Amino acid sequence: MLENMNEKCAVVGIFGHEEASKLAYFSLHSLQHRGQEAAGISASDGKKLRTIKDRGLVTQVFDQEKLSTLSGRSAVGHTRYSTAGDDSILDAQPVFARYDLGEMAIVHNGNLTNAKEVRDALIEKGAIFQTFMDTENLIHLIAKSSKEKLLDRIIDAVQRIEGAFSLVFLSRTKMFAMRDRFGFRPLSLGRLQNGGYVVASETCAFDLIGAEFIRDVEPGELLIFEEDKAPQSIKIFKPEPKRCIFEYVYFARPDSNVFGQSVYEARKNMGRELAAIKPVEADMVVPVPDGGVPAAIGYAQASGIPYEMGIMRNHYVGRTFIEPTQEMRDLKVKMKLSPMVDLIKGKSLVVVDDSIVRGTTSRRIVRMLKEAGAKEVHMRISSPPTTDPCFYGVDTPDKEKLIASNMSVEEICEYIEADSLAYLSEDALLRSVNAQNESYCTACFTGKYIV
Ligand code: AMP
């Protein structure tokens, strides 16, 4: 496994619109929650590809002037999630390259499980790598393929990689979108108001730019976009759906439809299930904002316990998880969440969050609420214990840092100093997303990996 991977990220592709790079910019803005470390866009005017990428949020990286230099009717974009110890601009996407057929730019969400083998084989044959990203493997595989056409080279290349990938390729005149056979990471297809097309990690991007959702790109499917043609579909792999359940638990935005279902409804269902199987007497249901909000609403509705905003979130602090060191993470939790003292004093609270990873957030929250005068704090988690790391694109720490891989639920409850702690069961989680067990990847809760 390579150390730096294309973790949880957002990808977008716009095809057939005079202001393609602007639409990519707005799409990336609505997908900012999928990665806050770096952002980038490549656009093609039919003759030349131009790329701008940098560290920072989408609004920090781009302004009117920069966008106006990215002219052309097609564009691909990316927001990148940080990985521990790595802040190199080299690892921002799109990855751009010139090769014998011209120019190409690639954006990638997910990560490849055979990246090291492929890279070692390429290096042995003389390839030189500039970054740690698996996406660079693809560039080399395409450039080195003996096939004449780009399409055939892409097909060649994706057959040599394994793992999770939702990819968008841009050449000077065409765009290609592809999902791995398992469909780990989402990728949806939409129609722009002018008849052009958009592909994006989540449908919330479509809503912002006024695009209409057509369908998901299927697992194993490659879509080809050419001017004045409907997208052409080629089934490269037989689909073996293993969609990432964690998209529903934490990652996707509640107003998105992911894998054919509303994320908001799925999370509310998780809260309802949690109330049914792990009831508790309390004065109010309090969400850990923002992740715990829909599940807390579901819990409150099912239990009849009033829903209250007992914790305020400061929105001007990034996600706590993005800081590489433990010390910084602790500080960021304190900066981010504060208790509503008058509301919770002397009260018993059911506090709902989506997941516990290292345990830092829950421990801090329970302490904070107790210090503010809460009588009892009952933690309810709207997913099963996170026991195993993800190798398919969600940024989870090593197994030894996952609290649930080392401690029982009782021990975790003691560690976070809660009066009680309960998680959702795997069955209840799958019921919440209306899923058949086989079609979802639940490895982060079960350790059952597919590839
Ligand atoms: P921790 O403090 O390590 O237990 O982290 C738990 C918090 O991080 C929860 O409030 C989750 O909403 C959030 N979280 C869970 N998974 C992730 C992830 N992959 N990236 C960022 N935040 C996450």
Side-chain angles (χ1 to χ4, degrees):
M1 211 64 177
L2 289 176
E3 255 203 20
N4 303 296
M5 305 170 291
N6 302 296
E7 302 288 352
K8 316 188 302 178
C9 299
V11 295
V12 59
I14 304 283
F15 197 84
H17 195 287
E18 284 308 322
E19 300 201 281
S21 62
K22 261 188 208 150
L23 294 186
Y25 166 84
F26 287 117
S27 302
L28 288 182
H29 188 261
S30 66
L31 297 170
Q32 186 76 79
H33 60 286
R34 297 184 74 87
Q36 299 92 40
E37 198 202 359
I41 296 174
S42 295
S44 172
D45 62 6
K47 296 190 192 80
K48 196 173 164 37
L49 258 59
R50 293 181 184 83
T51 301
I52 294 178
K53 56 180 177 177
D54 207 344
R55 299 193 64 208
L57 301 174
V58 179
T59 49
Q60 294 166 330
V61 173
F62 294 100
D63 56 26
Q64 188 85 22
E65 200 185 315
K66 284 191 183 143
L67 280 175
S68 66
T69 67
L70 296 174
S71 55
R73 288 173 56 79
S74 56
V76 294
H78 189 265
T79 61
R80 182 172 185 277
Y81 199 81
S82 76
T83 44
D86 164 42
D87 57 3
S88 167
I89 173 63
L90 282 177
D91 285 353
Q93 296 198 25
V95 179
F96 167 82
R98 271 193 202 96
Y99 69 123
D100 59 337
L101 299 185
E103 299 180 334
M104 69 179 144
I106 303 183
V107 289
H108 175 197
N109 173 211
N111 63 273
L112 308 181
T113 47
N114 68 339
K116 187 164 174 0
E117 293 93 292
V118 172
R119 178 170 292 226
D120 289 349
L122 286 163
I123 289 174
E124 212 161 275
K125 289 194 186 126
I128 297 168
F129 283 83
Q130 290 191 17
T131 75
F132 290 108
M133 286 184 291
D134 349 0
T135 316
E136 219 183 335
N137 291 1
L138 276 167
I139 295 270
H140 282 285
L141 290 172
I142 291 170
K144 281 184 183 297
S145 165
S146 57
K147 298 282 175 7
E148 256 175 47
K149 287 188 175 160
L150 176 59
L151 170 63
D152 296 324
R153 289 190 181 197
I154 290 175
I155 295 172
D156 234 13
V158 295
Q159 274 165 342
R160 298 201 29 207
I161 58 175
E162 278 163 26
F165 49 90
S166 282
L167 291 161
V168 192
F169 302 81
L170 183 67
S171 74
R172 285 175 295 194
T173 55
K174 291 181 189 154
M175 187 172 88
F176 305 84
M178 166 99 220
R179 252 174 110 199
D180 64 75
R181 77 188 74 187
F182 305 103
F184 284 115
R185 310 256 69 86
L187 190 65
S188 299
L189 170 67
R191 189 176 288 105
L192 301 171
Q193 280 165 1
N194 76 336
Y197 292 93
V198 50
V199 286
S201 295
E202 287 181 41
T203 59
C204 63
F206 299 172
D207 299 333
L208 183 65
I209 62 173
E212 176 200 354
F213 171 78
I214 300 176
R215 64 176 177 87
D216 283 346
V217 179
E218 295 295 321
E221 183 183 25
L222 173 68
L223 286 177
I224 305 150
F225 299 85
E226 281 180 83
E227 280 288 350
D228 306 320
K229 282 190 189 164
Q232 189 198 336
S233 157
I234 304 181
K235 303 277 156 58
I236 307 282
F237 302 108
K238 189 167 160 275
E240 299 170 45
K242 283 285 175 197
R243 304 166 178 101
C244 169
I245 199 99
F246 211 70
E247 290 280 346
Y248 287 123
V249 170
Y250 168 78
F251 203 29
R253 226 169 76 158
D255 57 335
S256 285
N257 253 281
V258 161
F259 311 135
Q261 132 128 299
S262 152
V263 175
Y264 182 71
E265 286 304 324
R267 287 190 190 155
K268 267 203 331 197
N269 291 342
M270 292 171 205
R272 287 191 194 109
E273 291 276 356
L274 200 50
I277 55 181
K278 308 287 180 185
V280 60
E281 267 184 39
D283 299 312
M284 59 183 77
V285 178
V286 171
V288 176
D290 293 325
V293 170
I297 292 173
Y299 196 105
Q301 286 176 354
S303 64
I305 303 171
Y307 172 91
E308 296 283 3
M309 292 297 289
I311 301 172
M312 283 314 290
R313 174 169 171 188
N314 183 332
H315 280 269
Y316 306 98
V317 185
R319 287 186 175 190
T320 57
F321 212 75
I322 62 177
E323 292 299 339
T325 63
Q326 187 67 36
E327 203 185 355
M328 282 305 291
R329 261 194 300 273
D330 285 346
L331 187 67
K332 273 204 140 184
V333 175
K334 290 183 206 159
M335 286 166 67
K336 192 163 124 177
L337 302 171
S338 36
M340 299 273 278
V341 179
D342 292 341
L343 180 71
I344 63 173
K345 209 180 233 162
K347 299 287 190 327
S348 297
L349 318 178
V350 188
V351 176
V352 182
D353 201 358
D354 56 83
S355 56
I356 297 179
V357 182
R358 295 174 174 85
T360 321
T361 310
S362 303
R363 186 178 158 104
R364 172 65 207 153
I365 286 170
V366 175
R367 271 202 192 165
M368 179 183 85
L369 295 171
K370 288 273 173 95
E371 279 166 16
K375 192 170 78 186
E376 287 170 19
V377 177
H378 301 276
M379 280 302 287
R380 292 292 177 273
I381 304 299
S382 60
S383 62
T386 305
T387 49
D388 292 83
C390 176
F391 299 124
Y392 315 128
V394 173
D395 182 25
T396 40
D398 298 339
K399 194 169 165 78
E400 63 269 21
K401 295 200 188 103
L402 293 169
I403 193 166
S405 85
N406 304 306
M407 291 189 197
S408 67
V409 175
E410 293 72 37
E411 285 166 340
I412 300 172
C413 182
E414 206 170 296
Y415 174 79
I416 65 171
E417 300 165 4
D419 293 280
S420 77
L421 166 68
Y423 288 88
L424 198 62
S425 66
E426 192 194 350
D427 282 353
L429 175 61
L430 290 166
R431 269 200 305 278
S432 307
V433 305
N434 297 316
Q436 300 298 317
N437 196 356
E438 317 80 63
S439 68
Y440 278 84
C441 174
T442 55
C444 50
F445 307 126
T446 59
K448 289 184 208 145
Y449 298 103
I450 309 116
V451 274

